[in-house]
Amino acid sequence: MATLTVNKNTSIKDRFVESFQQYQTQLNGHRDHPLAKFRQAGFEEFQEMDFPTTRDEDWKYTSVQRMLRQEFKSAKATDLQLADIEQFTYPNLNAIRLVFVNGIYNEALSSDRKALPGGLMIHLMEEALENEEYRAWIEDQIAYKGGTAKNIFLPMNRAFSQSGIFIKTVRGIAIEQPIHLLHVATDGDHIAYPQLFVWASESSQLSIIESYNSTTDQAYFNNSANHWQVEANAHVHYYRTQQEGGEAFKIHNTLVMQGRDSVFSSYVADLGGKMVRNNMSVELTGSNTETNMYGVYLGHEQQHIDNQTFMDHALPHCVSNELYKGILTDRARGVFNGKVLVRQDAQKTNAFQQNASMVLSDKAVMDAKPQLEIYADDVRCSHGATIGQMDEGSVFYLRSRGIPEAKAKNLLQRAFVGEAVEAMPLEVVQERVMAAIEEKLG
């Protein structure tokens, strides 16, 4: 795909339009391929929308203008060896690994997709879209426009996607091996569009780890999108960790549809990036579901980390637990906007939401807006947000026990965010996240 650099007087959106038109001229005889049509549909929706500004309520505290003004180039594949990515793998975890370098799938570094465990299918999007059943399912997923889905970065992801992944489980099959989608940014000045569609069939079990890493200090932009369907009685664990480069921009959209008796658990750790925006929506389409969202974020220097969540309780007898905890210092800014909607038919709902932030600098800022909208009368719901500084009394107590001040503060900060990290069932992921937190706190 061509570079996004054109006349300086051309509007930001027009640069992307011109880039897509240049892509179309290179299609030749592939214009009728399902992937080309998939991208075309995304582009048409992209053209109908505008980039958000701080005048939009949901983007009040997060400006994307600096990111969009950068003249990023389309991502290109870079040759890496296994030794180059070993630091980002989980050596003690027998995982199915899918590697993406600057957003481009690297088959040589990935597990053999022809030797997958029974009951698991993994396809590139261009392969999945050639299957009528899969294509119809994918179209159903992108038709969802609820919650946080109303933003231009989703159709933008579809229009410019290069290495999307489709994952499906067979009904009743428990996949013992976790799937690790390992993303590594090695070059600056590029824009990448990671894309993931997950179809967890009825009564199946699945764990997916998505990690974003960087070996460059230059600016780049990851516009990521995930679509999940968790069918009846399926159990899914989703881990997402990001240690993007210090100058990186990241927009991440996650949309989840949950069927009856299913369990979906999400564990998110945001430790890197210059500007990070996470949009996460879960819609319950069946009764007796359980949804868990755990998040941890650490911001220093001038990092900006914005978490937007939407929990839609549409049917009765459902449970949701949401806990996000973060630490901000220097001139960092954090944003949490979490909404829990309990519809009229969602009787016997049990919903919990909590955001807690520790602000360690008088120049750091945290904006929290927990929201609870209830239209049912037989429910148990609670929500809240706390923003505070380190408890000096606790620091004094630890120092009185012979612990140096710096270590005492480190222990208290670790304990503060540890509640969200310790919810991760996979110990190797939990340990990696805690090690990264300790390194950053140090």
Side-chain angles (χ1 to χ4, degrees):
M1 197 181 298
T3 299
L4 298 181
T5 304
V6 293
N7 191 301
K8 294 283 186 181
N9 296 322
T10 306
S11 73
I12 291 172
K13 192 170 179 181
D14 284 347
R15 288 195 278 116
F16 289 97
V17 171
E18 180 170 328
S19 177
F20 190 84
Q21 291 171 343
Q22 291 173 0
Y23 150 74
Q24 286 184 311
T25 64
Q26 300 168 7
L27 285 174
N28 297 322
H30 297 284
R31 288 180 178 270
D32 292 330
H33 190 280
L35 179 61
K37 293 182 177 180
F38 173 79
R39 294 178 63 171
Q40 176 65 38
F43 176 68
E44 291 172 0
E45 185 177 347
F46 168 79
Q47 286 186 295
E48 295 173 358
M49 302 178 72
D50 294 319
F51 287 112
T53 71
T54 52
R55 292 189 296 273
D56 297 299
E57 183 64 27
D58 289 344
W59 296 81
K60 182 177 180 180
Y61 302 111
T62 300
S63 172
V64 297
Q65 295 307 304
R66 180 183 173 188
M67 174 185 75
L68 295 172
R69 288 194 205 104
Q70 305 236 13
E71 296 182 345
F72 291 119
K73 303 176 178 66
S74 298
K76 294 183 179 179
T78 300
D79 289 332
L80 291 182
Q81 304 300 316
L82 185 59
D84 297 322
I85 66 166
E86 281 184 339
Q87 61 180 313
F88 306 124
T89 64
Y90 294 93
N92 299 321
L93 184 65
N94 181 25
I96 299 163
R97 188 170 62 225
L98 305 174
V99 179
F100 304 82
V101 182
N102 299 328
I104 308 298
Y105 178 64
N106 188 309
E107 190 167 8
L109 297 178
S110 301
S111 300
D112 185 358
R113 291 188 291 121
K114 296 180 181 178
L116 297 173
L120 176 66
M121 288 80 77
I122 299 178
H123 299 287
L124 299 178
M125 281 296 291
E126 59 195 74
E127 301 165 350
L129 288 166
E130 291 177 339
N131 180 298
E132 290 187 11
E133 179 189 9
Y134 297 168
R135 184 168 65 250
W137 178 87
I138 290 168
E139 290 173 352
D140 283 345
Q141 304 313 301
I142 63 178
Y144 173 70
K145 305 301 179 187
T148 62
K150 303 181 188 71
N151 70 86
I152 193 173
F153 296 101
L154 275 166
M156 182 178 173
N157 174 276
R158 293 198 298 275
F160 295 95
S161 60
Q162 293 174 276
S163 292
I165 290 292
F166 171 88
I167 298 174
K168 185 180 186 300
T169 58
V170 171
R171 177 179 177 179
I173 298 295
I175 307 300
E176 300 295 335
Q177 286 181 273
I179 301 170
H180 182 195
L181 287 84
L182 195 165
H183 295 266
V184 182
T186 63
D187 302 320
D189 298 327
H190 75 266
I191 182 169
Y193 300 90
Q195 186 180 83
L196 175 64
F197 285 83
V198 181
W199 184 354
S201 296
E202 183 176 348
S203 300
S204 64
Q205 297 181 31
L206 182 68
S207 293
I208 290 182
I209 307 163
E210 196 176 19
S211 66
Y212 289 86
N213 314 275
S214 175
T215 62
T216 179
D217 292 327
Q218 294 179 301
Y220 60 90
F221 174 23
N222 270 335
N223 177 6
S224 309
N226 290 3
H227 299 259
W228 299 71
Q229 182 172 1
V230 185
E231 291 189 343
N233 200 40
H235 290 233
V236 170
H237 292 283
Y238 170 49
Y239 306 79
R240 186 175 80 247
T241 66
Q242 72 86 2
Q243 291 177 271
E244 301 277 19
E247 295 298 318
F249 299 94
K250 183 170 184 60
I251 303 286
H252 196 107
N253 280 286
T254 302
L255 306 177
V256 183
M257 309 293 287
Q258 262 189 272
R260 62 175 178 79
D261 302 308
S262 66
V263 179
F264 177 82
S265 299
S266 167
Y267 317 92
V268 177
D270 280 298
L271 306 179
K274 181 77 169 181
M275 191 283 287
V276 177
R277 166 70 178 231
N278 298 314
N279 298 317
M280 185 169 189
S281 289
V282 179
E283 179 169 329
L284 307 180
T285 62
S287 61
N288 200 37
T289 63
E290 178 183 337
T291 310
N292 302 296
M293 299 183 193
Y294 297 96
V296 60
Y297 49 93
L298 266 65
H300 71 172
E301 296 179 350
Q302 293 183 329
Q303 281 185 274
H304 183 107
I305 302 173
D306 181 348
N307 283 294
Q308 305 276 321
T309 67
F310 182 83
M311 187 73 229
D312 189 348
H313 284 273
L315 293 166
H317 298 283
C318 295
V319 176
S320 66
N321 300 288
E322 185 174 359
L323 177 65
Y324 275 69
K325 305 193 79 171
I327 300 175
L328 304 170
T329 188
D330 301 326
R331 294 176 178 271
R333 185 168 193 168
V335 181
F336 177 82
N337 187 350
K339 182 174 183 178
V340 177
L341 172 62
V342 182
R343 298 183 186 272
Q344 187 173 0
D345 292 336
Q347 304 294 340
K348 304 295 183 181
T349 288
N350 189 340
F352 166 81
Q353 181 195 81
Q354 179 67 36
N355 169 236
S357 303
M358 185 182 290
V359 180
L360 304 182
S361 164
D362 58 1
K363 294 183 180 179
V365 177
M366 181 67 203
D367 297 291
K369 185 181 178 182
Q371 302 175 72
L372 191 55
E373 192 172 334
I374 303 175
Y375 297 97
D377 52 16
D378 187 5
V379 300
R380 294 178 58 191
C381 299
S382 65
H383 73 304
T386 59
I387 302 171
Q389 299 176 331
M390 188 174 296
D391 183 0
E392 292 300 328
S394 298
V395 176
F396 177 79
Y397 173 82
L398 293 175
R399 291 186 66 189
S400 70
R401 296 299 185 270
I403 299 175
E405 182 177 3
K407 186 173 183 180
K409 290 181 176 180
N410 183 278
L411 287 171
L412 291 172
Q413 292 173 55
R414 176 182 173 177
F416 178 75
V417 296
E419 182 182 3
V421 179
E422 290 167 4
M424 299 179 177
L426 279 176
E427 289 187 10
V428 290
V429 180
Q430 182 185 134
E431 291 170 359
R432 174 71 63 83
V433 171
M434 283 307 302
I437 288 174
E438 289 183 5
E439 181 179 356
K440 189 164 184 177
L441 291 176

